[in-house]
Amino acid sequence: MVAIGVLCLLIVGIAIALATRPPRPDARRSLIDSLTTLAAGNYSAARTNAQAAIKAAPTLGIAHAVLARAYLELGDGLAAEAELARATDAGLPADRLHQLQAHARLLQDDTDGAINEAAQAQPRYAGYAARIQARALASQGKPVEAQAVLRALLDQMPNDGAAWTDLGRVRLTAGDVGGASVAAGARGDAGAGRTGGTDVAGGGRSQPLRARCRAAVVRGGVAARRLLSPRADRICGDAG
């Protein structure tokens, strides 16, 4: 009777443990969660969710790529490059990852490598690649070339908020405070946009880039108009 009682207790204990244990991670669900938090700008959560997806399915190449994307946003180029290597080992085509490789190289201060990788990006990732190229040129002390790359991008994608942000940073670093303010205003119009490696903000050219630039000057308020309007042609004249 004692043995039977112990056996019953053991069976009940196993049943309770099975019923209360957390469910096994679902790779697809974790990957969706990672993409969602990545788009929302919660990069730490995106990293955690991507890691959960990889734990559930270690050979899921896209999960490694998404984890790399999260690492890039967190500024860890070395970890991102390692995940990109795992993504290709898992079967993800390497030609889809050049823009991410470029970003990873840039974060490791390899500006030449970043420019080389950006040049190999597929056309669908051209916006992301161009922004990385511009950042690398700016890091090399070539602000004129960096601005030319960004202006060319914005001529094609005037709603790319990330490109406006980068242009503002380059102008500010070069000492062009007025130009940086214009870029910031245009960025506000464009919205945050999507900056991930799989989708880039874009859309049709709603109005010429020069018109958008001048509109940003005018919206700056009375003080900004007094400061910038006389210089609007110079600030916006090269915008296209």
Side-chain angles (χ1 to χ4, degrees):
M1 293 294 293
V2 172
I4 292 173
V6 171
L7 180 60
C8 289
L9 288 174
L10 181 60
I11 293 171
V12 171
I14 293 173
I16 292 173
L18 291 173
T20 58
R21 72 178 180 178
R24 293 181 61 185
D26 179 271
R28 181 175 177 275
R29 180 70 260 171
S30 296
L31 181 59
I32 292 172
D33 290 343
S34 182
L35 290 168
T36 301
T37 48
L38 185 65
N42 189 346
Y43 305 124
S44 294
R47 175 184 58 192
T48 300
N49 290 324
Q51 289 170 334
I54 291 169
K55 183 177 181 180
T59 60
L60 187 60
I62 188 63
H64 287 285
V66 173
L67 179 56
R69 188 72 179 85
Y71 276 130
L72 290 173
E73 294 297 339
L74 292 169
D76 193 340
L78 186 62
E81 193 160 21
E83 288 303 322
L84 291 172
R86 295 185 182 104
T88 54
D89 289 344
L92 198 65
D95 62 357
R96 292 177 56 185
L97 305 175
H98 287 298
Q99 69 287 346
L100 300 179
Q101 290 279 11
H103 198 168
R105 297 286 175 83
L106 180 62
L107 288 174
Q108 297 174 78
D109 297 320
D110 179 7
T111 54
D112 289 331
I115 292 171
N116 180 59
E117 288 288 345
Q120 300 178 65
Q122 293 182 0
R124 65 182 293 190
Y125 309 123
Y128 188 1
R131 291 195 302 272
I132 298 303
Q133 179 190 6
R135 292 179 196 176
L137 288 168
S139 295
Q140 291 179 343
K142 301 175 181 177
V144 174
E145 292 88 339
Q147 290 187 60
V149 170
L150 292 169
R151 288 198 301 268
L153 171 59
L154 286 165
D155 193 42
Q156 298 298 318
M157 299 179 179
N159 295 323
D160 190 337
W164 282 112
T165 298
D166 283 346
L167 180 60
R169 288 172 179 166
V170 173
R171 286 176 169 176
L172 188 61
T173 300
D176 183 2
V177 178
S181 298
V182 170
R187 193 267 185 204
D189 276 355
R194 295 182 64 186
T195 61
T198 58
D199 195 4
V200 179
R205 297 179 61 179
S206 57
Q207 55 179 307
L209 185 55
R210 181 181 291 135
R212 294 179 60 85
C213 181
R214 290 183 61 82
V217 171
V218 173
R219 279 192 311 278
V222 175
R225 285 199 297 271
R226 283 201 299 265
L227 174 64
L228 298 179
S229 289
R231 304 168 57 209
D233 286 330
R234 183 179 68 79
I235 293 170
C236 301
D238 59 0

